[in-house]
Amino acid sequence: MTTDTDAHDPAAHDPAEGWTPVEDKGFIAHVGPLHVRGADGAYAFRADQKHANLIGVVHGGMLMSFADRALGETAMRAAGGANCVTIQLEMKFIDVGRLGDWIEIRPQVVKRTGSLVFMRGDVRDGTRLIASADGVWKILRRRPD
């Protein structure tokens, strides 16, 4: 686990060590790169200038996009690989993400029904809680065209 002292040291979070870039030619390609760690299903990104809002901290929309992607991919795995779409996502912003932070989320499946996956996850920089996300994903019966 990361400590607050190494949270701002880029060498302490070398994505080559256990982290794999998330491949995406769509929206995430514009706001990424995001990384996933196969060992525990955690997702992360390094907060960069392009993620900043007007006051120089990580934009809430970036944190929401990050949580949506991480929880959504985890929901699809929980649904046996079926496509899922977000039908509800709630974020509680607790602290700021600072530029240079290695921001992580470890998605948790709360419950899976026949048609829905309920998810949650805490967005953190090391042990510091930045935001909390809760959401519901609809399991699709067929692939969208």
Side-chain angles (χ1 to χ4, degrees), residues 6 8 19 22 40 47 53 66 69-70 72 75 78 89 100 107 115 118 141:
D6 68 6
H8 300 286
W19 294 95
V22 172
D40 62 359
N53 65 12
F66 171 60
R69 179 58 177 258
L89 178 64
S115 61
F118 297 82
R141 297 291 175 221

Side-chain angles (χ1 to χ4, degrees), residues 1-111:
M1 176 169 265
T2 308
T3 65
D4 283 335
T5 56
D6 68 6
H8 300 286
D9 177 9
H13 303 287
D14 180 3
E17 295 180 22
W19 294 95
T20 304
V22 172
E23 298 293 329
D24 189 311
K25 291 181 178 19
F27 179 73
I28 294 301
H30 296 287
V31 298
L34 302 185
H35 297 86
V36 63
R37 186 169 56 203
D40 62 359
Y43 287 76
F45 74 98
R46 172 79 57 205
D48 195 6
Q49 182 61 46
K50 70 180 179 180
H51 303 123
N53 65 12
L54 291 174
I55 63 169
V57 298
V58 178
H59 194 286
M62 176 58 194
L63 295 174
M64 291 187 80
S65 293
F66 171 60
D68 183 56
R69 179 58 177 258
L71 273 58
E73 281 192 9
T74 305
M76 287 192 279
R77 284 193 295 278
N83 284 339
C84 295
V85 293
T86 311
I87 60 172
Q88 185 267 328
L89 178 64
E90 178 182 351
M91 291 287 291
K92 295 171 198 79
F93 299 100
I94 298 160
D95 201 346
V96 298
R98 297 181 199 98
L99 302 187
D101 285 353
W102 180 252
I103 297 177
E104 295 184 29
I105 189 170
R106 289 182 180 89
Q108 301 169 345
V109 177
V110 175
K111 181 175 180 141

